[in-house]
Amino acid sequence: MVDVPGISFPPAPAPVAADPNRMDIAMFVGFLPLRAGAEAEAARLALTAQLAQQGWADRANPASPDLLDLPVRVRSIEDVELLFDTGGRLDRQVAIESRPLEAEFELSAVDATFVVNLDGEDQQVELPTGTVSRTDIRDALAAGLDGVEVSILPAVGGKAPLQFRRASSAPGSLTVSTHPALGFPVAAFDQSQGVGAPMGVALRSFFASGGREAVIVRMGDPPPLYGSEADRVAALATLVGYGFGDSTTSIAELLDDTVPELPGAFPTRTPWHGLAHLLGLPDVAMVLLPDLPELVASVPGLVREAEALPRPPETFQPCAPEPVALVQGALAESKPASVDADGLELWSRIAAWAGEQVARISPEVMVLCALPLIDEDAGPLTALDAMDVVTDGNSGAGMANRQLQLVTPWITSDLAFDLPAGATPADGLLAGHIAASTLAAGAWRTVAGRRLAASQFPYGALEELSFDRAEQISVIGYGARGPTILSDRTTELGTYNQANIRRLTALILRAARIRGESVVFEANGELFWRDTRMVISTLLRQLHSAGALRGQREEEAFQVRCGRDTMSQADIDAGRAIAEVTFAPAHSIEFIEVSLLATNGTIAPGLAAQGRIAA
């Protein structure tokens, strides 16, 4: 520390840079509930103080350590669960309605007491008596109840019911005691339970599949599993931000809104929201939006109705609450949310937007998105329509982007035990396999051929989206040894169709960027050009030795030029240094097809063996 009378210059903490060859860190942007309890609150408070020291003091408020819209680094699922509750999402919002009430009615002294039980605790409200209005009663209840929102629903024929909503985002229960004068001839009961959050399950899959480090950007609590379309639209507006979806309540309305561009990095972090945090995370290699397939769902998930239990015989005692379906037990037989044509169109726009914006921010980062489920009852909409949205009718255009990777189908997994049918989008799983492969063998290795865990299976896999037909989609299916990642592709046809080649290119770009950042103030001359050629050539030589580049000799595998043959005198005078790198990536064989011919009791090769690679 440098001390001057009255002034102190503390040294800034040295940033810990990731190894440029690592390329395995994933950023998850979406919705997660906070974990309850003193230990979790203490951990979030400590992390909030750390983030404030890193320049996020305007958002990292110690008085409310909710980690909202902040980059939170985690290195294991235990780190995630310490801060967040991956299974603490509400299955539905608890709401109880009274019978319709007149605009004004009489309330006697006998009816002056109103009792509500919230999460096992009674709350009692003293009501005004005499001639009262619905509004008077609503105001008295709203003022007297803690943690319960009271509203008046729209009137029909002059009568309108009161609605009581549990305000907390954590699971719990609400009971309204018998009060005939306010429309409750018997007690009413409702409860919500915790189910899996899409981003929480994606994080489980990521770390279980081999991921080692992730950055979580929490955008708030997830909408309820069986929430309304308006809830999902509001969450989409929050996810994208920057005015997208303002004042809209339906997917059809959202289709008329333009998805905005993200702001640039200069001059401050203030406008960074959601996906824009990538501007300050130069070591991130993958970006995921795990909530997207469900948020665009236009067909809500369905839960199996529990059989009604017999009610006890009526007596002149307080009525027992209605039995409630055990949602956790019914999840296995539930149906996940799915999309119709509007939902599919909205998904394609936002996924393409994410790919375009990430490409504008950094050429080193891939966006991984899962295709939504197609509604089985949506008429002519089929899996082929989903593929046409990606390929624009097989023209190869559509969502083509060398930095966008789409994966289908969903998977069933023991990690998704708290989601309908145990099914989850496969983007978290794919990101985990990419991270594991990158750490073990290098970013240039394809994940095609990697087997899924024993408890993981394709969900709703359709023949129309087989990996040899869906050339712009990464497909999970059944291989010779069971459930397998069959293809590892981007949405762009051509050289970068193989996602591992795109990851190899990103690795080289990142190494060149880090080299450039370290010498930005050096003289732009022969010595600098020589050093640049040497640094990049050394990296490419290592890649060639590891099998990432094809060619017997280095001259066949790569070439690095940086000097007067790559830049003009005007470039040199302007301080620009231009290096040209040419390399020949090694293509990966996705599958080998062998034809065998059985004749005269022997088996011999028939047609020549064929290996499929991306062009």
Side-chain angles (χ1 to χ4, degrees):
M1 178 181 292
V2 180
D3 291 319
V4 178
I7 304 176
S8 295
F9 297 93
V16 180
D19 182 347
N21 295 329
R22 186 174 173 184
M23 298 293 293
D24 70 296
I25 300 176
M27 182 174 82
F28 291 75
V29 183
F31 301 89
L32 266 182
L34 298 175
R35 181 163 294 282
E39 183 181 5
E41 291 179 5
R44 287 196 295 271
L45 188 60
L47 182 55
T48 297
Q50 181 181 348
L51 289 167
Q53 292 177 353
Q54 295 173 358
W56 291 106
D58 57 332
R59 297 189 193 179
N61 181 8
S64 178
D66 54 12
L67 303 180
L68 189 63
D69 209 2
L70 289 166
V72 176
R73 287 187 181 268
V74 290
R75 292 179 171 83
S76 67
I77 193 60
E78 289 76 21
D79 289 351
V80 177
E81 294 288 4
L82 176 62
L83 302 167
F84 309 103
D85 188 353
T86 62
R89 173 196 190 189
L90 293 181
D91 62 320
R92 64 186 185 279
Q93 184 67 51
V94 169
I96 295 176
E97 297 179 14
S98 71
R99 290 184 177 180
L101 302 176
E102 298 284 356
E104 289 188 347
F105 51 92
E106 294 294 322
L107 200 63
S108 67
V110 177
D111 299 318
T113 302
F114 190 83
V115 179
V116 167
N117 183 285
L118 178 66
D119 300 334
E121 297 289 335
D122 281 343
Q123 298 186 37
Q124 183 172 299
V125 180
E126 296 302 320
L127 302 175
T129 58
T131 302
V132 296
S133 68
R134 288 190 303 249
T135 304
D136 293 336
I137 296 299
R138 187 271 316 274
D139 293 343
L141 290 170
L145 294 175
D146 184 23
V148 179
E149 300 171 352
V150 185
S151 61
I152 301 174
L153 297 181
V156 177
K159 294 184 178 182
L162 295 175
Q163 184 184 68
F164 297 79
R165 289 174 63 92
R166 188 172 172 278
S168 174
S169 60
S173 64
L174 178 66
T175 303
V176 177
S177 297
T178 303
H179 199 291
L182 293 189
F184 290 99
V186 296
F189 172 76
D190 194 11
Q191 70 176 6
S192 60
Q193 301 183 48
V195 296
M199 188 157 86
V201 177
L203 284 161
R204 296 175 195 168
S205 299
F206 174 75
F207 285 109
S209 300
R212 297 286 184 84
E213 184 169 342
V215 178
I216 297 174
V217 180
R218 175 181 180 264
M219 306 308 299
D221 292 321
L225 174 62
Y226 301 114
S228 65
E229 183 175 350
D231 290 335
R232 295 193 295 275
V233 168
L236 275 172
T238 300
L239 184 66
V240 175
Y242 305 105
F244 178 69
D246 286 351
S247 303
T248 59
T249 58
S250 69
I251 288 175
E253 292 175 339
L254 210 54
L255 283 171
D256 295 329
D257 209 344
T258 302
V259 189
E261 283 196 354
L262 297 180
F266 186 81
T268 68
R269 298 175 174 182
T270 302
W272 293 0
H273 171 91
L275 193 61
H277 279 280
L278 184 62
L279 290 161
L281 299 168
D283 56 346
V284 164
M286 296 175 281
V287 170
L288 292 84
L289 304 172
D291 298 272
L292 184 58
E294 185 181 294
L295 293 183
V296 299
S298 35
V299 182
L302 301 176
V303 63
R304 175 179 61 86
E305 293 291 339
E307 294 183 5
L309 299 179
R311 291 187 59 83
E314 294 186 5
T315 65
F316 293 100
Q317 296 178 358
C319 294
E322 290 283 352
V324 176
L326 295 176
V327 175
Q328 292 284 17
L331 281 175
E333 299 181 30
S334 300
K335 174 185 175 183
S338 54
V339 299
D340 59 13
D342 283 351
L344 182 62
E345 174 64 21
L346 182 59
W347 168 84
S348 68
R349 288 189 190 181
I350 296 178
W353 164 83
E356 292 165 0
Q357 296 306 305
V358 166
R360 189 169 65 88
I361 293 173
S362 170
E364 306 162 14
V365 182
M366 293 288 294
V367 176
L368 273 61
C369 286
L371 270 72
L373 290 180
I374 303 300
D375 177 28
E376 298 173 353
D377 302 318
L381 189 66
T382 67
L384 291 178
D385 294 303
M387 190 162 62
D388 284 346
V389 167
V390 175
T391 63
D392 194 16
N394 296 322
S395 69
M399 299 175 67
N401 186 327
R402 64 187 63 179
Q403 291 178 240
L404 177 61
Q405 188 166 4
L406 307 178
V407 58
T408 195
W410 288 23
I411 58 167
T412 58
S413 169
D414 57 355
L415 299 172
F417 65 93
D418 47 5
L419 286 178
T424 178
D427 47 354
L429 175 139
L430 180 62
H433 278 281
I434 291 172
S437 176
T438 295
L439 291 171
W444 55 90
R445 300 293 185 188
T446 183
V447 296
R450 287 180 66 99
R451 295 176 60 190
L452 274 59
S455 64
Q456 296 172 334
F457 299 92
Y459 176 78
L462 299 170
E463 294 181 0
E464 293 93 330
L465 288 179
S466 59
F467 76 104
D468 56 336
R469 297 183 62 183
E471 294 184 306
Q472 293 169 264
I473 303 174
S474 299
V475 176
I476 295 174
Y478 289 95
R481 297 180 297 169
T484 304
I485 300 174
L486 298 179
S487 58
D488 181 17
R489 298 170 177 167
T490 73
T491 58
E492 180 177 291
L493 294 174
T495 301
Y496 290 116
N497 184 233
Q498 282 195 344
N500 58 304
I501 293 180
R502 177 57 208 169
R503 294 193 292 270
L504 169 63
T505 304
L507 186 155
I508 296 171
L509 289 170
R510 179 164 294 183
R513 171 178 59 80
I514 293 174
R515 165 61 182 166
E517 290 173 349
S518 66
V519 296
V520 68
F521 295 112
E522 290 188 13
N524 191 13
E526 294 288 348
L527 182 60
F528 168 69
W529 303 336
R530 185 201 66 187
D531 289 347
T532 298
R533 291 194 299 270
M534 182 178 65
V535 169
I536 299 178
S537 295
T538 298
L539 172 65
L540 293 172
R541 190 170 296 115
Q542 293 171 343
L543 293 174
H544 182 236
S545 299
L549 306 179
R550 67 176 183 267
Q552 293 294 325
R553 298 174 299 169
E554 290 183 2
E555 293 79 8
E556 299 172 341
F558 66 87
Q559 182 180 18
V560 181
R561 299 165 56 224
C562 183
R564 295 189 180 277
D565 57 340
T566 63
M567 63 193 91
S568 66
Q569 187 60 46
D571 291 324
I572 298 172
D573 294 341
R576 288 190 293 269
I578 301 174
E580 292 184 359
V581 181
T582 304
F583 62 95
H587 288 277
S588 300
I589 298 176
E590 290 184 338
F591 71 90
I592 296 177
E593 179 180 318
V594 178
S595 176
L596 298 178
L597 180 64
T599 56
N600 299 325
T602 62
I603 298 179
L607 299 176
Q610 301 179 37
R612 180 186 178 90
I613 63 173

